[in-house]
Amino acid sequence: MGRRARSRRLQQQQQRQRPEGAADGAAGGGKGNGAGWEGGYPEIVKENKLFERFYQELKIVPEGEWDQFMEALREPLPATLRITGYKRYPEELAWHTNLSRKILRKSPQLEKFHQFLVSETESGNISRQEAVSMVPPLLLNAQPHHKVPCAPPGIVRGLLSEALPPFGFVIANDVDNKRCYLLVHQAKRLSSPCIMVVNHDAASIPRLSIEVNGRKEVLFYDRILCDVPCSGDGTMRKNIDVWRKWTPLHSLQLHGLQLRIATRGAEQLVEGGRMVYSTCSLNPIEDEAVIASLLEKSEGALELADVSCELPGLKWMPGLRHWKVMTKDGHWFAEWDEVPHSRHTQIRPTMFPPKDPEKLQAMHLERCLRILPHHQNTGGFFVAVLVKKSSMPWNKRAPKVNLQGVATEPRAPVHPSPAGPSELDSKPVPGMGAAETTETSEGLESNGNKKDGVCGPPPSKKMKLFGFKEDPFVFIPEDDPLFPPIQKFYALDPSFPRTNLLTRTTEGKKRQLYMVSKELRNVLLNNSERMKVINTGIKVWCRNNGGEEFDCAFRLAQEGIYTLYPFINSRIITVPLEDVKILLTQENPFFRKLSNETYGQAKDMAKGSVVLKYEPDPAKPDTLQCPIVLCGWRGKASIRTFVPKNERLHYLRMMGLEVLAEKKKEDTDLTNEGAAGSAPPEDEGSAEQEQAAEPAASPDASTGSSPAGAAPPR
């Protein structure tokens, strides 16, 4: 191993010594012009003859456009972004550049713009998202009261949440435990109490139940976003390794899983609900074949919606009605009867279009949308919108909920293929695998005997757990002595939903308090034994270090301040715009640096957490015209803010302060009329480190050399 390490270091040193642009060209045509990977890696040749043969035969590209299609695939994908819609910005929420991500990162001329993108993304105000990935949530048409589960990779879940205030909720799922923590990090940017992140196989995600008017009922979802795992050949512009690895075998291997996930989604969709199925693949085996098979097995319960007028600016190609299946060695099959028995475990009947012309026509596969890269300078994508007209055939009898709240449902029929059973036929029906059937009986006792208000992870006997063991979700009891001091200190409104507060520990001091919506509380309390919940809720209070010396042991958290603020009636300081600038650019400004207006409100307050509120003045249209709510701390002689760095930068940009970045420093210099320095950010740890120690809440230690009582402003 030592010899290999030395060899790698030597190669890296040689690469660094080469002049810029002298990267090796790949065998077979690399030009060595620096267009390949950084660090001297060989340039990947953007050619795949089998790929071209496959799609030319299927005719997914209009006649005469093949060269433009291939040329677009070989070009880098342009960077796009969208402004977070739920924060009530104006229209024109999505923006497109002609610059690749590499150019944005490396160009000195664009350094300030790149820093803007990074910090605004971290603060949740924008999302750097591929243009085609913005399409499925728009077609989902989620409304404020909707219950929405989704299983998409990446940031598309965040877009869903923007349409849902606390009346509905989003349950975001990923089978990969590590990606779940990335999802938590993304969800935290939205600061929403109605998002839950769970870790399940989407093909067998459990049926949940909720309490309605004192009765247990099965939870059906109003909207479902089903972005399934796929071969990803529509992402060649950004994932250039696909050029080298692409083979039609990938689609054959994924088709069964995609169909099971889509079937499970359809089962849990409410009648009249809408499910969006999407892939970043152009292959009909992963696209139209899945939709056709799902429509056929639904026996009229599902239908493809005509969404041709819902996104008038989008260019797309209608779905295919005829296609063929190719093996990895390039052999074609036009229908199932042609497939030899030796290939039946690899190729399935559901991969072919229906034989019956009338049945095929009634499916309206042309209503599917295939987005081609050269039409609008995007990636490749496929979308289909399904509407549920009635229960699935095997669910004509509604699922029942037993006394312990466990939902049981009929088992979907499995039809053996004409050639007999195969490996795919023998797999569990979506949602009714071994884990689900056993928990119908085993889960009764555990659900009935669980401690009140404690929602722990499901026992290992009932469900395989992967990754880290999660801390339980413990709702604060109504008689908990922890809450009355908080209620008194902040003069919380009687309407405050205290039963929606929870912690992540059953022992010791509660360090952080989180808040969830009423609907998610219902889901958690009734399904904790059936779900592996990674994260939910937003942080609203954090315990002070040494907080017992103050009237309240908990300070406000910026993450949840916009949710909490409407209920707070005390410890609110209204600050003018100039004071906001001072508070955001100086770590612990003394009272004398602030206005008389601010000092007059703060001087008689006890030490502790405060709300700093800026209200815009309509009579001064040239000033900032949106309200700002910040968490702060009233010390002995100063006031400070507890605001994360990137959110701090966002507010300063809104006020017209220039933000300068230095490559060699992690800190950011904020310059405006000589103001310098910034308060340390709050909670910059990763999303999975929820229990990490908080920064000291009291700022007085940092002003030890100042007098105990500073003079008021002149």
Side-chain angles (χ1 to χ4, degrees), residues 266-267 269-273 298-303 387-393 395-396:
E267 288 176 339
L269 188 66
V270 71
E271 290 185 26
S298 76
E299 298 179 4
L302 301 173
E303 72 174 21
V387 175
K388 190 172 184 178
K389 311 300 289 186
S390 63
S391 297
M392 301 296 278
N395 289 136
K396 290 300 183 183

Side-chain angles (χ1 to χ4, degrees), residues 499-517:
T499 56
N500 295 351
L501 290 177
L502 59 83
T503 66
R504 298 297 303 271
T505 181
T506 56
E507 300 176 356
K509 287 185 177 180
K510 301 174 177 67
R511 293 192 56 82
Q512 296 155 344
L513 301 183
Y514 301 86
M515 185 174 176
V516 297
S517 66

